[in-house]
Amino acid sequence: MTPQRIRYAATGCGRVFQRYHLPCADERDAMELVGLVDTDVERARSLTADRPQVWTGTSVERLIHETRPDLISVCTPNDAHAEPVLAALDAGIAVLCEKPLAATVDEARRMAAHPAAGKLLGVNMPFRFHPLLTAFADAARPGAQRVDFSFATPGNRVWRAFTPWYGDARRAGGGALLDLGPHALDLLMTVFGAPDVEACEVDRPGVEERVRLDLSFQGLPATLRIDRAARRLETSVTVTTADGDHVLDLRRGELRRADGTVETAGGRPELAAISACFDLATGAPTPHPRVTAQDALDVQLVVEAAYRSAETVTEPLPQGG
């Protein structure tokens, strides 16, 4: 089947859009960039210097009216997700929203409850589509005794937003747990189902940089450690069984089984959820379904439960296994 021509637009022209959404759209001949919105209109215009036909502005309503898009990416700060998402859904436009779904659970519920959300709204949480995840789950689930997920990144030392909203509790809605936690939690929930929150520790309230979250998946203990101010890079999940540890190293693209065998995967799995939404919109073949607003809401409810139970720990939180 020949992919259909898709008029593509976006709101929020920061690093996430520039590094992930725009290149993913540009590699598809069936997608035509028709409009960009940003609070800094000059930033939007700088991305379209060689595309004079692309409309740029600061209003989502005008974007919809002027460009008549078929698909909109929402890559704004967390507190600015709901307005463009709901405007797109009201207009019958497909929309891909960055995680988390919103800065607050109330806004996330509104988005997920929109009558068109099930058909038109997708969320960028790609870890569930990692090419090694099925093999990892098949190896690790039988006889699993405990789970440890470690997520460490130098944060602002290597990823500096154009505007400092990450440090604003009102705009971000939370810290490292709401920022990076959805990726880890969505993977864990894909493999093990819905968890119960047992305990949560953060290094400071509001916009924590470090967090330890203890969960239980129907009696299976799990710990998620996130360090957004680390001096190293790590994204890995370890499942301990009687036979040893099975490790899915997402950063290296490796599955290290307890028997010593190693399986690798290449490509760019971090683009899987974006690619799925774009392929579904164009009618191109895709191995993945859309990550739904309900999926994202389920994850955010776990984050909210963790924040409600969180204790602030002044000493450094342990990051080891």
Side-chain angles (χ1 to χ4, degrees):
M1 185 172 82
T2 303
Q4 59 181 338
R5 195 74 179 167
I6 290 297
R7 297 173 61 81
Y8 173 60
T11 176
C13 298
R15 299 196 188 279
V16 168
F17 173 71
Q18 293 180 28
R19 184 173 295 188
Y20 302 113
H21 292 247
L22 183 58
C24 204
D26 279 346
E27 70 182 16
R28 289 164 167 77
D29 292 338
M31 293 184 67
E32 175 190 3
L33 182 65
V34 296
L36 293 177
V37 162
D38 197 275
T39 54
D40 181 354
V41 73
E42 292 305 318
R43 180 184 305 136
R45 289 171 181 161
S46 72
L47 297 176
T48 60
D50 60 344
R51 313 181 201 208
Q53 77 282 5
V54 177
W55 183 91
T56 56
T58 59
S59 165
V60 173
E61 288 75 15
R62 281 202 63 200
L63 170 76
I64 292 172
H65 176 74
E66 298 286 345
T67 70
R68 297 173 290 106
D70 303 299
L71 171 64
I72 297 177
S73 281
V74 174
C75 305
T76 55
N78 296 347
D79 70 323
H81 283 182
E83 180 182 353
V85 166
L86 293 172
L89 295 178
D90 285 345
I93 298 167
V95 57
L96 170 59
C97 183
E98 269 299 322
K99 58 77 198 162
L101 193 54
T104 68
V105 166
D106 286 345
E107 284 193 331
R109 288 185 192 276
R110 282 178 58 216
M111 295 158 71
H114 191 285
K119 180 180 179 182
L120 295 178
L121 176 54
V123 185
N124 185 23
M125 296 193 301
F127 281 15
R128 63 167 58 199
F129 300 136
H130 195 281
L132 296 173
L133 186 61
T134 298
F136 171 72
D138 290 344
R141 270 192 301 238
Q145 297 175 347
R146 72 161 292 107
V147 181
D148 289 281
F149 198 122
S150 181
F151 206 145
T153 175
N156 277 339
R157 289 199 293 274
V158 296
W159 182 276
R160 191 175 298 277
F162 288 123
T163 55
W165 65 270
Y166 278 100
D168 184 333
R170 180 187 61 81
R171 301 210 69 191
L177 181 57
L178 186 60
D179 178 24
L180 300 177
H183 285 313
L185 288 167
D186 188 55
L187 182 151
L188 293 174
M189 292 165 69
T190 297
V191 176
F192 298 108
D196 293 317
V197 172
E198 300 293 337
C200 182
E201 296 177 345
V202 297
D203 64 345
R204 62 173 182 258
V207 283
E208 75 285 348
E209 293 293 278
R210 297 181 178 89
V211 59
R212 171 180 169 139
L213 174 59
D214 291 319
L215 303 163
S216 175
F217 291 90
Q218 296 183 352
L220 174 65
T223 298
L224 168 60
R225 296 176 178 86
I226 303 175
D227 186 346
R228 201 171 58 175
R231 296 185 179 276
R232 61 194 174 93
L233 285 167
E234 181 180 3
T235 312
S236 66
V237 55
T238 301
V239 175
T240 299
T241 70
D243 297 327
D245 289 345
H246 301 278
V247 181
L248 177 59
D249 190 325
L250 292 111
R251 190 174 76 83
R252 292 184 172 86
E254 290 183 351
L255 168 56
R256 301 188 289 272
R257 294 182 176 86
D259 63 7
T261 59
V262 178
E263 186 176 347
T264 61
R268 296 192 63 188
E270 72 274 14
L271 297 179
I274 299 174
S275 294
C277 271
F278 289 0
D279 289 340
L280 286 166
T282 62
T286 174
H288 305 307
R290 181 186 291 108
V291 182
T292 70
Q294 188 61 53
D295 295 329
L297 176 59
D298 290 343
V299 167
Q300 193 158 346
L301 289 172
V302 175
V303 172
E304 180 71 7
Y307 278 141
R308 286 199 303 268
S309 68
E311 296 181 5
T312 301
V313 179
T314 55
E315 67 268 17
L317 294 173
Q319 293 298 308

